[in-house]
Amino acid sequence: MKIRKALYSFLLFLSVLAISSCSSTETFVSYPAVSDLSVEEKMEALGVDQMKVDYPEVYYYGPDFLERITDLVSQAKDYILITTFLGSSAPELEEFYSVLAEKAESGVRVYVSIDGLSSYDMTESRFVMTPLYFLKESGVNLIEYSPLTFAHVIAPQYMLLREHRKIFVIDGKISVIGGMNINYISLGSKEKNQRDSMYIFHSTVLAKSLTDQFVSIWNSSTVEKIDRDSFKTYENDSEGKIPAYMFNQGPGGKEKVADMYSVLINSAEKEILLFSFIPAYDENMLTALKNAKERGVRIVTVVSSEPRNSKGSFYAMPRVLEFSDEVYLTVSDPEIPLLHEKLMIVDGRYTVIGSTNFNFRSMALDNDISIVLDSEEFAQMSRDHFYDKIQDGAEHITEERAEELRKEGSALAYFLVYYGG
């Protein structure tokens, strides 16, 4: 394991030398984000399609979501599409994978895409994980996106491009997005699981869009092509009532998650509530946030005290205070699970959910997905949840405390999390 970690660190260093940036965050300080247009007009200028979705089922506890998704998978009749960053099995997940295998054996088409770093999982899952290759024996179609090989020494920039999305599509009718990986620490552990979120939509329009992207990613990753027309989807949603904008960043998609964040931050008038898993921001991102604060927007930021990346996050704490009215740091304590959730709420109206961390890596280097929901009701529910998280053992950070944390941190560690996440 130490050799694998050292190899990854070495290739990461080569990757950073090979590229200065895979994608620009200039959108944070350029048209249409900084214009006087409304949010809707800015989205239209970006060419983002608006859809209407139903109010989703919301899960903040991994074992509960595992039970629900296992049930939904067991009801599949035609196909199941799954994308995850970290995917592995553990005793607690055996039933889910058994149901998945049974569906494949019964003739339901099952396609699973995992990131090539799944076998290098450095979370608590590594102590109980079983790689997913065994699923192929049951007829599950499984691929690794950008597997880590020695070929990356020749072209190391491609090692930085990761599949970070967490997506399920079932029979073109059910869509799931969020931040939970399909592994022990996200779904299996009942006590030490991460604090995270998953959202289940009964939306055919959303499922159609996700299926389009899944097929594009799959066909760009393997010679075993799949036919988009073989997956039945539906054009209209009769039940969708919430206006939504989807940003599905990756091959085959035109959307960039940086555009989404830039529009909302530059449009904010009253308040931004933000979960920041790893606070690694470039100057364009910082400029947009500082400008929002200067306009009188109240910004509250919760930073996760993630043990593996804490030195990098601690080093960045003074920068977080530059744009935030209030900063909270979740406590690294065995009794308080890691906050891995991705969430931003703007003006009590717009809520951002999905797999995207608010940091440079997700803006520029990952395949990621986020949806903006335009609903005061959903925003209020999420806002209540946001403050529940803050009150759950988080430490209020003053300027003095931020400087103390910076000294505990490391500039090198910050450099590594800036690009490596």
Side-chain angles (χ1 to χ4, degrees), residues 69-116:
I69 196 62
T70 300
D71 178 58
L72 290 173
V73 165
S74 72
Q75 298 176 47
K77 295 179 171 56
D78 187 5
Y79 64 88
I80 303 164
L81 311 178
I82 301 174
T83 299
T84 190
F85 176 51
L86 301 176
S88 60
S89 188
E92 294 81 358
L93 277 72
E94 286 181 359
E95 180 182 356
F96 169 75
Y97 287 118
S98 176
V99 170
L100 205 62
E102 288 172 4
K103 300 309 291 187
E105 290 173 342
S106 71
V108 173
R109 293 170 295 161
V110 181
Y111 293 86
V112 179
S113 172
I114 61 175
D115 188 79

Side-chain angles (χ1 to χ4, degrees), residues 1 4 65-66 69-70 82-98 100 112-135 140 142-144 163 165-166 168 180-189 194:
M1 187 66 71
R4 289 181 175 182
F65 172 71
L66 177 61
I69 196 62
T70 300
I82 301 174
T83 299
T84 190
F85 176 51
L86 301 176
S88 60
S89 188
E92 294 81 358
L93 277 72
E94 286 181 359
E95 180 182 356
F96 169 75
Y97 287 118
S98 176
L100 205 62
V112 179
S113 172
I114 61 175
D115 188 79
L117 294 184
S118 280
S119 297
Y120 300 84
D121 187 348
M122 295 303 294
T123 70
E124 291 295 312
S125 295
R126 68 187 185 277
F127 298 116
V128 293
M129 63 183 279
T130 301
L132 297 182
Y133 308 117
F134 67 88
L135 289 173
V140 172
L142 175 74
I143 62 169
E144 287 184 282
E163 175 57 88
R165 299 173 304 161
K166 293 84 176 176
F168 294 79
M180 295 181 190
N181 291 296
I182 311 178
N183 62 359
Y184 169 77
I185 194 65
S186 283
L187 303 182
S189 173
Q194 297 174 158

Side-chain angles (χ1 to χ4, degrees), residues 273-304:
L273 306 181
L274 176 65
F275 283 158
S276 187
F277 180 54
I278 299 175
Y281 322 123
D282 74 352
E283 291 304 318
N284 292 328
M285 299 167 70
L286 282 171
T287 296
L289 287 162
K290 289 177 184 177
N291 288 343
K293 183 176 182 179
E294 290 177 2
R295 294 196 307 272
V297 177
R298 177 174 175 267
I299 303 177
V300 182
T301 306
V302 178
V303 177
S304 179

